[in-house]
Amino acid sequence: MAAERGARRLLSTSSFWLYCLLLLGRRTPGAAAARSGSAPQSAGASIRMFTPFYFLVEPVDTLSVRGSSVILNCSAYSEPSPKIEWKKDGTFLNLASDDRRRLLPDGSLFISNVVHSKHNKPDEGYYQCVATVESLGTIVSRTAKLTVAGLPRFTSQPEPSSVYAGNSAILNCEVNADLVPFVRWEQNRHPLLLDDRVIKLPSGMLVISNATEGDGGLYRCIVESGGPPKYSDEVELKVLPDTEVTSDLVFLKQPSPLVRVIGQDVVLPCVASGLPIPTIKWMKNEEALDTESSERLVLLAGGSLEISDVTEDDAGTYFCIADNGNETIEAQAELTVQAQPEFLKQPTNIYAHESVDIVFECEVTGKPTPTVKWVKNGDMVIPSDYFKIVKEHNLQVLGLVKSDEGFYQCIAENDVGNAQAGAQLIILEHAPATTGPLPSAPRDVVASLVSTRFIKLTWRTPASDPHGDNLTYSVFYTKEGIARERVENTSRPGEMQVTIQNLMPATVYIFRVMAQNKHGSGESSAPLRVETQPEVQLPGPAPNIRAYATSPTSITVTWETPVSGNGEIQNYKLYYMEKGTDKEQDVDVSSHSFTINGLKKYTEYNFRVVAYNKHGPGVSTQDVAVRTLSDVPSAAPQNLSLEVRNSKSIMIHWQPPAPATQNGQITGYKIRYRKASRKSDVTETLVSGTQLSQLIEGLDRGTEYNFRVAALTINGTGPATDWLSAETFESDLDETRVPEVPSSLHVRPLVTSIVVSWTPPENQNIVVRGYAIGYGIGSPHAQTIKVDYKQRYYTIENLDPSSHYVITLKAFNNVGEGIPLYESAVTRPHTDTSEVDLFVINAPYTPVPDPTPMMPPVGVQASILSHDTIRITWADNSLPKHQKITDSRYYTVRWKTNIPANTKYKNANATTLSYLVTGLKPNTLYEFSVMVTKGRRSSTWSMTAHGTTFELVPTSPPKDVTVVSKEGKPKTIIVNWQPPSEANGKITGYIIYYSTDVNAEIHDWVIEPVVGNRLTHQIQELTLDTPYYFKIQARNSKGMGPMSEAVQFRTPKADSSDKMPNDQASGSGGKGSRLPDLGSDYKPPMSGSNSPHGSPTSPLDSNMLLVIIVSVGVITIVVVVIIAVFCTRRTTSHQKKKRAACKSVNGSHKYKGNSKDVKPPDLWIHHERLELKPIDKSPDPNPIMTDTPIPRNSQDITPVDNSMDSNIHQRRNSYRGHESEDSMSTLAGRRGMRPKMMMPFDSQPPQQSVRNTPSTDTMPASSSQTCCTDHQDPEGATSSSYLASSQEEDSGQSLPTAHVRPSHPLKSFAVPAVPPPGPPTYDPALPSTPLLSQQALNHHIHSVKTASIGTLGRSRPPMPVVVPSAPEVQETTRMLEDSESSYEPDELTKEMAHLEGLMKDLNAITTA
């Protein structure tokens, strides 16, 4: 045994010195980074090869339906095989507890029974596959969108129609774009077979060309999207016999603007009807298209154009021309072709040494132009002083450190899609020096020239080589307080000066110089501290800056040379910005004047000028504001409407042109009107610019007039509105009272609609300006629709089948609404297929019904553009097919959010079929609806569309930050906080900064990352009686938010609990130490309770078992104490020196918590503390709190950069161990008693610090030992039966310990284990004390008892409890020789007396 122990010590010492040599080798300067395939070849240096790690399959955008199953494919290649995880909307999915989502063996994600409803859409979103290889890195796939088709709803249904034989017909069936693939048609309740003559357009519309008699019948469209089929109205198509009578040529369907992606197919619809039957031809950009000989261009039924496999060359304007010999009509549409991001140049693998600078290149193309972001090991790279985006898309990393190693990915994204390409960075170890003398440190390193942005260094040759002709030099430099070090090499051998460029003014830098010869790098010079000059050599402001407008779109700016030029002025930069915006633009100018063109008309701009010399930009001038000249308005007034007052007057209302189109101050409006029958007789009227209405009088009775309005500025008249017509009354009617009740009201219920018809009031001497129709289920006040006074019928759409509706009709004028007329109707069930009755009302006073009643807008869609902007688009069925607005209608868009619930609607008007809603809150769900207004008629609100704005970085810090001391642990504090009030997204983590100096630079503060949405965190091993300052920063998927204000907390002074080594040990077990899960219902064992075996025992059996256990323990203690008396007198001076040497080495280590705070494990029982203790129930420990012992020195922590989160998976395992540790110490402290026996469950090494080891699972236990620590034999772990079995059960876990409760409620003893052959090992960042050491190979196990002990989170089989015999004399002597304390004779006498008292108590117990 002694020989083996000596060999292990020799081996550990040799390993340490070899490790120290490798550390020295790492400090040698590095050459430039090497690209893939050109790794530097150094003699004796082993180069790590790049590891192939890439995706074989990446997820793609997928469309699904509710209730179906979806597979998002993903497969990655690497050796070893990577671990696959999935993110949804930027957050990792917890697939272990998800019963609908699971991971397939190849890494794909399987989602069963897709859930989707109006307010619950858990499966729809953006998914990303994440592949991780431990100790290698992480890569992420492209983002794939999973879209779930919504509930079937028709925005447009087929209508009854007729067609002449040989002509074309269309039947509408418009649904959501997601549901179009699920639309099919039926004719006479039978599936309709499609062919070259009968086709279905991509919108769902049915086109029948060259109609025949067999095409007549009943048609309906059906949407089948997983649930019950949704049927449209069933309508009849009549085929009329051919006739020789001609009819007008009209478009049934015109092409509309389309956007497609390269490679997709596109159909430009175009269907015309007329007699004679027309022919269709197509042109693109005024060039005729040959559809007969082209393979990609096909003319479909009715005349629609299909283009297969679209390319960028297909983009342009297409014209559909219909000609039947008598007349020609044409329609046009724009085709926009987009392209997904593609890589022109992908990042390549790079070899590099520490301290050098590297650049990952990435060049992409796409349409729209893609945006590029960089990811390192799966985490976003945030630009900083050392991570910069250069040349638009390239990533530059300055001053490499070891933690920069890993996989970097360039992710390109535009509106069409996204793509990723990655590369690996390997930091090379410097080759060991060859045999031969190395140069000493360069001498007399000085800064011979110090400027604001550069420093010139010079030095003398090393003393070891006075000539130095063959020496090269490397200059290492860094900002003071920054761990990253950059390197600059001399350009040729023997050169002893170098200029460091691109420094910051008034900044302190640290420089050192190293010389290299053919054998390697020599010693480093002493650090040189140099501060750059402040920026004082810059130009002053340019005087006499003036700006004046030269046209409505241009402004000229002039200035003079700065008085304090501080050298030759190289150029000027002119900055300008539109007033009210925050986007400043600039232009380089070499002269003293410049004219900026292309500005907005009559818009105010701010200008300033900055002069540049060789040192950089100077002082900016003050802003100068000037407005461009005015011009005629570029748009017509908005929302023109006419109101007939009487038989001789009409009131005109309008609104000014949009502010961006007024181009100046509106000075007036020009009204032009004429009789519709006499187009040449035009009358003009001018009104002031503030007037928005005008009464036109002196008109003829019963005459139709056309009106138009144009706006005026001092520059002239702008464009006028389209002509709008109104007809004066035949006679002057009374409008001093409300209209009377309508004379009749008839309703005809259908399945999802009700046809309402009426006749006007009998007293026609009262003005009627329109009718108000109210309807609702059980009440007529749910919805109200207003129609024109000429209208006599209206169809109420989108009703529920088999429902009872109450309908009211009221006539109204400017005085108010008249008496209502009521009627009720029950809509028909789905199964009712009876034909629709058409009402024809014959009355001498009934005007011709208006063929286009006001209908609410349809197809409302919300397109999210940014975190505060959403574009709303819609369609208007009351417009012609080309959706061109030719009248005075306008649309009102309203929106609101449901948080809080009482939020009011906001409104805005628009004159186009889209509106840009701005100023929204980030990450907020909004609902939108639209209504149309034309004159005095308005539609109801459309169906709502929903959209959630994108996330934004948090704009407020975490709030309510509090710091409290943990009870019983004065060195541990608990930090609590609340989420930021403006999180702007889902919080994915927090960063806690703390320091003892509130004024220290933020990079000098110690950092504690908190993963997930935790709101509390524990920090251990702080210095007692010391003030600390804490700040917290929140993070979401978009980045980091602002920091909270600093919170001060002073740790308490030391108390008695800190001085007991056993207390420390009980709360700081090894990695993953766990406490038995006793549960909240646990009660102290009483007489007749269950034994450790789990079987009921009698009081006598329990007492006998206790006597046996206690007797063995007492005998063992007595033997150990007697042996200790002899052994304490045999401590040699050599062993004392050995302990002193080990303490000195440990004391020099920079990590807090090593030798300073860690006490040797107290493996002997303090018998004076074995008094009777009350046993209380202890609640479960707080599962949210985590204890994370960390280094307390800022140098111990890698500087904060974008790789900070790369160890998330490691922290998950580490937190598990911390929680167990905290739970143990909490239970022990709250019960008011010391843990009596600790036994290991698994034989694993102690916990490694999260920040000090790349992988906490694979690091050997000896990796954290110091040079003087004796290495334990790792094979010793397998000698004991319980250790061997636990290794087989869970070899990948850590070393938990369990608190074994005695079965007798009165007394408890701790049975000591055999001490290890040498001092225990300590982790540098986490003091831990093994409370039960491993047994030697030749130790005999006297007895084995099993105990059922629950662990935190899982159950285990009964574990054997080893009760060892007393240690042998030699082993005990060797152990006590390494101990730092011994018992004095007086203390032993007291101990023996105390033991005698205990034996008497035992006798009393057994006799009782």
Side-chain angles (χ1 to χ4, degrees), residues 702-871:
T703 305
E704 184 179 3
Y705 285 85
N706 295 332
F707 296 83
R708 67 192 310 178
V709 180
L712 288 79
T713 63
I714 60 174
N715 304 89
T717 305
T721 62
D722 293 329
W723 290 102
L724 188 62
S725 61
E727 184 180 349
T728 56
F729 297 144
E730 284 287 342
S731 59
D732 291 332
L733 303 178
D734 181 14
E735 199 172 2
T736 59
R737 50 184 175 150
V738 298
E740 294 183 358
V741 62
S743 56
S744 67
L745 172 63
H746 302 278
V747 295
R748 175 64 174 173
L750 302 177
V751 178
T752 59
S753 61
I754 296 178
V755 180
V756 182
S757 60
W758 63 89
T759 54
E762 293 181 356
N763 184 1
Q764 299 189 30
N765 294 322
I766 303 176
V767 175
V768 176
R769 299 196 177 274
Y771 295 92
I773 304 172
Y775 65 93
I777 299 179
S779 171
H781 307 298
Q783 298 283 345
T784 301
I785 299 171
K786 291 185 177 181
V787 298
D788 191 75
Y789 72 95
K790 298 179 181 179
Q791 198 159 331
R792 294 294 179 265
Y793 69 92
Y794 184 79
T795 302
I796 305 175
E797 303 284 354
N798 300 321
L799 303 181
D800 296 331
S802 304
S803 300
H804 183 273
Y805 284 85
V806 178
I807 300 167
T808 181
L809 177 71
K810 294 179 287 186
F812 66 89
N813 56 21
N814 290 335
V815 178
E817 295 181 344
I819 301 174
L821 191 61
Y822 291 90
E823 191 62 79
S824 63
V826 178
T827 52
R828 299 177 180 177
H830 263 304
T831 55
D832 194 337
T833 60
S834 59
E835 296 184 4
V836 178
D837 291 342
L838 298 179
F839 284 85
V840 179
I841 302 171
N842 296 318
Y845 50 79
T846 302
V848 177
D850 190 347
T852 55
M854 296 301 292
M855 293 287 292
V858 297
V860 181
Q861 294 184 350
S863 303
I864 293 86
L865 302 183
S866 68
H867 64 276
D868 64 349
T869 305
I870 294 179
R871 180 180 295 278

Side-chain angles (χ1 to χ4, degrees), residues 1017-1028:
H1017 190 72
Q1018 292 190 14
I1019 301 178
Q1020 295 180 324
E1021 297 301 319
L1022 299 180
T1023 306
L1024 297 176
D1025 195 21
T1026 302
Y1028 283 86

Side-chain angles (χ1 to χ4, degrees), residues 188-451:
N188 297 325
R189 301 299 178 90
H190 296 289
L192 180 63
L193 299 179
L194 304 179
D195 51 28
D196 295 338
R197 193 178 59 82
V198 180
I199 64 171
K200 184 186 74 172
L201 295 180
S203 63
M205 176 184 293
L206 184 66
V207 178
I208 302 174
S209 64
N210 192 17
T212 64
E213 186 177 356
D215 295 326
L218 298 176
Y219 287 82
R220 65 176 180 179
C221 69
I222 306 167
V223 181
E224 295 176 320
S225 59
K230 180 82 171 181
Y231 296 89
S232 71
D233 293 342
E234 192 170 38
V235 298
E236 182 181 11
L237 175 65
K238 296 181 179 179
V239 180
L240 306 178
D242 193 5
T243 177
E244 297 180 358
V245 178
T246 62
S247 62
D248 293 338
L249 183 60
V250 295
F251 280 114
L252 301 179
K253 179 65 176 177
Q254 295 188 37
S256 57
L258 291 176
V259 178
R260 288 295 182 269
V261 181
I262 291 178
Q264 293 181 342
D265 296 340
V266 62
V267 174
L268 293 169
C270 185
V271 181
S273 175
L275 291 176
I277 298 174
T279 58
I280 301 293
K281 293 183 179 180
W282 283 87
M283 297 180 63
K284 176 194 172 187
N285 299 334
E286 300 181 354
E287 292 182 6
L289 296 178
D290 186 5
T291 58
E292 297 180 356
S293 60
S294 175
E295 296 180 356
R296 296 176 51 248
L297 304 178
V298 178
L299 200 62
L300 302 178
S304 298
L305 178 65
E306 181 181 33
I307 307 175
S308 303
D309 193 16
V310 170
T311 64
E312 283 191 79
D313 295 335
D314 294 325
T317 303
Y318 288 79
F319 297 84
C320 175
I321 303 173
D323 184 11
N324 67 353
N326 294 337
E327 58 181 324
T328 301
I329 58 176
E330 72 175 31
Q332 68 180 44
E334 187 78 12
L335 173 61
T336 303
V337 178
Q338 297 181 337
Q340 292 188 354
E342 289 185 3
F343 288 96
L344 301 178
K345 181 182 291 185
Q346 297 189 10
T348 57
N349 297 333
I350 296 178
Y351 285 108
H353 290 90
E354 286 189 83
S355 302
V356 303
D357 303 339
I358 64 166
V359 175
F360 282 108
E361 296 182 336
C362 180
E363 188 175 348
V364 297
T365 183
K367 188 177 181 182
T369 302
T371 59
V372 170
K373 62 182 179 181
W374 283 87
V375 169
K376 179 205 169 190
N377 288 334
D379 294 320
M380 186 80 66
V381 174
I382 301 176
S384 64
D385 290 343
Y386 294 93
F387 286 84
K388 298 182 178 181
I389 304 299
V390 296
K391 295 183 180 179
E392 295 186 4
H393 299 150
N394 297 341
L395 176 66
Q396 182 182 39
V397 185
L398 304 179
L400 290 177
V401 295
K402 187 66 176 178
S403 61
D404 291 334
E405 206 173 54
F407 283 88
Y408 291 78
Q409 291 176 274
C410 175
I411 299 180
E413 184 177 14
N414 62 9
D415 295 339
V416 184
N418 60 89
Q420 61 83 23
Q424 185 180 5
L425 170 63
I426 291 181
I427 306 297
L428 294 174
E429 300 286 347
H430 288 284
T434 59
T435 304
L438 297 175
S440 59
R443 296 174 292 174
D444 301 334
V445 179
V446 295
S448 59
L449 180 59
V450 178
S451 180

Side-chain angles (χ1 to χ4, degrees), residues 648-665:
K648 293 187 177 182
S649 63
I650 295 177
M651 176 65 77
I652 308 175
H653 297 272
W654 66 88
Q655 291 179 351
T661 63
Q662 293 181 11
N663 301 335
Q665 188 71 32

